[in-house]
Structures are given as C-alpha cells and as structure tokens.
Amino acid sequence: MGNPLNSHNQLTYSQKESTTSAFRFSNSEESVLRPPPDPNGPKNMAVFHSNFLVIGSGVAGLTCALKAADYGTVNLVTKKEEFESNTNYAQGGIAAVLDPLDCFNSHVEDTLKAGAGLCHEDTVRVAVENGPKVIDELNKWGTSFTHDHGSESLELGREGGHSHRRIVHAKDLTGREVERALLEQLHRHEKTRIFRHAMAIDLIVSETPEPRCWGCIVWDDTWDELHFFTAGVTILATGGLGQIYLHTTNPSIAAGDGVAMAYRQGVPVANMEFIQFHPTAFFWPGERPFLISEAVRGEGGILRTSDGEAFMEDHHELKDLAPRDIVARAVDAEMKKRGDPNVLLDVRHIPQQEFARRFPNITQHCRDHHLDLSRDMIPVVPAAHYSCGGILTGLWGETALKGLFAAGEVACTGLHGANRLASNSILEAVVFGERSVEFARREGLHQESHPDNIINSVRVQPKRDLEKVRISHCRDELRRLMWDYVGIVRSEDRLKRARERLTTLRQEVTDYIEAGYTRGDLFDLRNMVEVSELVVACALTRKESRGLHYILEYPNTDDEHWKKDTIVKRDQREAPLLPGTAR
Ligand code: FAD
Ligand code: SIN
C-alpha cells in the first residue's frame, strides 16, 4: 500500500471536514467547533501531514514557520493561544551590534564572559554576526522598534554584562511586538496552518534504516482527542521550563515539554543545571511574578536593602550591571542575611517622565499597585527565568535524531554556556530557527515520506475521571521542591533529597499514565517531573560552581575537570504515549 499521507493536511476525514474539526485553526475565520460524534466513545485518531511541523508559536516557532513556508507546507501546533509564550513577555529587547562605536568582537567577548567558559565560540560568532540582519528582518516583517527621539536610528538600551548600548527594543514590550508582527505575517501565508490548544505529547520515530523523526502525537485540549501530526521535518520550538519552579517569570506554557519529548527518544540534552534566575521580579504576595526589566538598571536603577543601603558595590565591580547570576545571588544573600522577603529597586532619581516613556508597561504595573516611583521603591525578588540548557544542537539547529530540529529556548546551541547574557535569546531563536529550516531544505528532508507502518489506525478511548487535585497537588509539590532544594544556591544533600522525592512523584505520574488517563495537565506534569529530574541529575554531576550553578560543597570553578558541557542521554527510546488506545 502506498503512503496515503503525502499531501498537505490530508485527514482521515475529508479536507472539507477539516475546517470544522475540533481543532481551533487561527488562520481560518473563527473556529467552528465540531462536537465529537460521541463525547464518551472511542474516536479515530486523525492524521495531519505537512512538509514541516513546527511545535510552538513563540519567536522561534514563528520564525521557523515563516521561513519554512517558502519551501513547503507547514503545520504549526501550539499549546494554548497562539501568542501565549515566553516571547510575549520579553521586555528588555534584542542584542545586536548597531552602534558605530560597538563591534562584533565586543558582543562576542561579553557573551563569552557571561557564559563563564562554557560558550561555544563558533556558535557565539554565528549569533552575534547575524544580529544586524535579524533586526533588519524583524523590521521588514513589520516589528515596530523604538527610535531615538525624532531620529531614524533605533534607540539602543543597556543591560547587565554588555559593555555597549546594543539592546534594540519596542519600549518595554519588545516580545509582544515581535510576536504580533510575526503572527500577522504568518496569518497571510496560505501554506501554513496554526493549530491552537494542540499540545505535542510525544515524537513519532521510525527505527530503520536509522532512527528518524516523523512528527508527533498531539493532544487536542479542547475536545480531549489525540491526533498524529506527520512531517518530513519536525522543529521543536517549545520554549523553556520556568514552571518547574514556584516563582518564575515564565507563563504556564513553559513546562519543559520539548526537552522531555526529545530526551524520551534518546536525544542528548545538555547543561540542564544552568537555570537563570532573574534578580528583579516584582514582588507582590499572591501575584504571579511580573518582570522588572534589567534595562531599568541599565538606565540607572539601583538595588537597595530594606534599610536603603545600595548593596551591589559589595558584590561586583560592575555593581547593578554585573552579570545576572551574580546579581541574583547577591539579592538572595541580602534577603537571607536580613530575613527580608524582598529587596528594593530604586528609580526615584531617574526623571519620571523619561522613565515612563521608556518603560510604560512597568510604570503602569507599578501604578496599578499604587506605587509612586518618584517616592516609592519597587519591591523585587529573584525568580526562575530562563533555561540555558536544553536539547543539544549543532550550528544548524540539528539534533542527534534525523528529521528533528530544535530552536529557541528549548535548544542548547552553545551560545549561553553557563550563563546567558541578557537579550541574547530572542536573537538566538531567530538565527538558529532560520538555520534549522535552511539545513532541512538543503538536505531535502521536508520532501521525504515516512514509512507506511509508523501510523497505525488507532482508536482512542479518553479516560478523564482522574480527580484534578491529584495533578495539582503533585504540581505544587514539585514546584516548591525545586524552589527550595534546587534553587539559586544548591547543596549536595538538598539535591539528593530532591532526587528522591522526584522519584516518588514520577511513580505517581506513571501510575496515572499507565491507567490510561488522558488530561493535558497530566501530560504537562509528566514533562515537568522529567525535566526536573534532568536539572537535578546535571546539578549533581557538576562538582564545581560555575555561572548559574552554585553549590556549597564545591564553591570554586574547576577548569581542569569541568570546563565542559554536562550531557545526558537515555539509552533506550520510550514508546510514544497513546493512552486509552485500542488497535
Ligand atoms: P516561547 O516564546 O516560550 O514559545 C514556546 C511556544 O511553544 C509557546 O507557543 C508554547 O505554547 C509552545 N509549546 C510549549 N510546549 C508545547 C507543546 N507540548 N505542544 C505545543 N506547543 C507547545 N529574552 C531576550 O532576548 N530579551 C528579553 O528582553 C527577554 N525578556 C524576557 C522577559 C520575560 C518575562 C521572559 C519570561 C523571558 C524573557 N526573555 C528575553 C527570554 C525570551 O523571551 C525567551 O527565551 C524566548 O522568547 C523564547 O522563545 P521561544 O520561541 O524559544 O519560546
Ligand atoms: C529583561 O528585560 O530584563 C530580560 C532580558 C532577558 O531576559 O534577556
């Protein structure tokens, strides 16, 4: 039998029906949702095929989809609404060498310095040298960046660890503006379809003649259905994992899904111990952390203790603009020393009109909390912000599994090493997203067809009656555990205890999965447990302190033994999850 799945979006039901399928397509009119024939009965899994499958709609996923649309059909699946992503909350901006007094070597050096000896210099050069092109491209795609007063040139901000002004921004809402522009472009493309509330849960991999990825299994969170998404090229652009920590600047989508999915298929993952904590998240008990951009310190903001003392000069010569790991540890130490729940960020000396022009979003957030920034200081605490580690990729976004690419925060390209320099990640997402598509196209991977036998006709019987509290309890426990035991300052004893508790949590999740329960939050939790285990495993492996990884038993950096990536890999691939199936 020939492969029936080679044309774009060929479904097990007809193309006409596909516009009324249970998925919410965001580039058709509004979704008309088809109720499943029998909400409680078994359903056939549909198959959606395209040349490229992009998983995630942050800056990495959208860039990949836009580029890939030039070469073939594209399906993009995204977990929630299409704009919901870490990208959407990015404030500071995008690092690029645009000032005539700045140069590539300086940006490279700053990146290497922040990365504490673990950056891959070739990757750094590729990213940095593509910076101006990225800004130009985002501009052409319609991103509206902030310009210098009345001038043609872009306003360049300053952030910690950068020795020049080089942060291109759209006021303090850079990510939202980039996301808006790219989504608008993508909606115009006929060859791309965006599937919202579509959560990738496992990769589809064939074994012979060599392991190769052919797409993924997707959970439709609206109608509780599972579907196959097949493609010659699969790009993981699922972002970060901040949700494994109790306090994080990341939205709820950031559960480490891509890393967990790749790891389960034996793809090497690297440097998971290097979790970046942003030093200044707005502190308001009971509220989700809101970021106070590092650019605020770039414009003169000063960190102070509760008794008004500026403390960064005791910790680093660059004071408030020291690299982020140093500032976060200093804040943590000052809070612990005094038993204070937060420190304070002082912007009272910055002309208020100018501050409000540059940071309208932050100003509004403070006003909403009745803070008058000419009089009051901003209460801030550190929060988990960014994962420097991820799926190990080469210079073209390629992973060790043929047909699978990773771009953006989910990837470990070697750019960030042991600590990411501020505003280098949107840059990385665009540069390596584009290169992934370019590599796949050059190799013709998008035109290859999967073997007939990897997709069987499968009927799924959703099993939903698991009490929600079972999942929410495990999730809360995990997030507190990671915050308390695997946080900014670590110890071997706490890490080992965290490892034990994670084993118990894993068992509980496995029990529910094996019992056939199908729930989006359960699939999320499965990934959160898996990536937490990877963070702990890498942290226990590295017997030194370096960059973002600080461990009490080994407070020094040990270049002789540890100037290398921590790479973890599963020996055996795990069969993709098809809960509640009958063949
Ligand atoms: P994301 O933007 O997080 O997108 C991930 C996408 O994958 C989402 O659409 C999500 O729904 C989807 N997804 C996840 N799992 C699945 C799944 N299983 N199935 C389907 N879809 C899935 N960096 C900078 O360079 N400059 C900044 O100024 C800056 N500020 C920041 C401010 C904040 C508050 C935060 C949180 C981060 C900031 N960063 C900044 C970091 C940067 O925003 C992110 O690293 C970058 O945007 C990540 O882009 P991404 O496309 O890789 O992931
Ligand atoms: C910020 O605006 O402080 C965040 C910048 C970043 O995470 O790169």
Side-chain angles (χ1 to χ4, degrees), residues 55-61 77-80 84-87 89-93 198-200 237-240 249-250 253 257 261 291 385-386 407-409 420 423-426:
I55 306 174
S57 59
V59 61
V77 294
T78 191
K79 207 167 170 179
K80 295 213 165 161
E84 188 58 344
S85 59
N86 276 0
T87 303
Y89 298 88
Q91 294 185 355
M199 174 184 182
T238 51
T249 60
N250 294 189
I253 51 93
D257 295 1
M261 276 190 280
L291 188 75
H385 184 63
Y386 185 85
E409 191 168 339
R420 176 180 67 106
S423 288
N424 263 355
S425 59
I426 296 183

Side-chain angles (χ1 to χ4, degrees), residues 232-292:
V233 175
T234 304
I235 306 177
L236 281 168
T238 51
L241 49 69
Q243 283 295 320
I244 66 173
Y245 285 94
L246 185 61
H247 304 293
T248 177
T249 60
N250 294 189
S252 67
I253 51 93
D257 295 1
V259 169
M261 276 190 280
Y263 180 72
R264 285 196 286 271
Q265 294 309 316
V267 179
V269 163
N271 292 354
M272 296 296 289
E273 67 273 40
F274 298 118
I275 303 291
Q276 186 168 69
F277 291 82
H278 198 292
T280 58
F282 189 83
F283 174 72
W284 209 262
E287 280 190 14
R288 198 191 129 214
F290 168 89
L291 188 75
I292 304 294

Side-chain angles (χ1 to χ4, degrees), residues 197-216:
H197 295 271
M199 174 184 182
I201 59 172
D202 263 325
L203 297 171
I204 301 168
V205 178
S206 63
E207 293 297 328
T208 51
E210 62 183 319
R212 194 206 192 285
C213 183
W214 294 107
C216 68

Side-chain angles (χ1 to χ4, degrees), residues 157 268 397 502 536:
L502 285 169
V536 171

Side-chain angles (χ1 to χ4, degrees), residues 48-119:
F48 297 79
H49 185 75
S50 54
N51 297 121
F52 294 88
L53 171 64
V54 178
I55 306 174
S57 59
V59 61
L62 296 177
T63 302
C64 291
L66 273 171
K67 283 285 162 184
D70 288 342
Y71 307 119
T73 54
V74 183
N75 282 336
L76 183 152
V77 294
T78 191
K79 207 167 170 179
K80 295 213 165 161
E81 293 302 323
E82 58 191 12
F83 53 80
E84 188 58 344
S85 59
N86 276 0
T87 303
N88 198 42
Y89 298 88
Q91 294 185 355
I94 308 169
V97 173
L98 297 178
D99 187 317
L101 297 177
D102 195 1
C103 65
F104 289 148
N105 278 344
S106 165
H107 189 180
V108 167
E109 263 168 40
D110 291 345
T111 304
L112 296 177
K113 199 164 168 194
L118 287 198
C119 299

Side-chain angles (χ1 to χ4, degrees), residues 95 104 107-108 111-112 120-134 394-397 413-415 424 427-428 430-436:
F104 289 148
H107 189 180
V108 167
T111 304
L112 296 177
H120 299 192
E121 192 166 341
D122 49 355
T123 311
V124 177
R125 289 212 169 268
V126 169
V128 164
E129 288 172 14
N130 274 288
K133 180 171 152 257
V134 163
L395 275 178
W396 294 89
T413 60
L415 174 64
N424 263 355
L427 171 68
E428 177 191 43
V430 176
V431 171
F432 293 98
E434 289 190 4
R435 288 170 73 90
S436 300

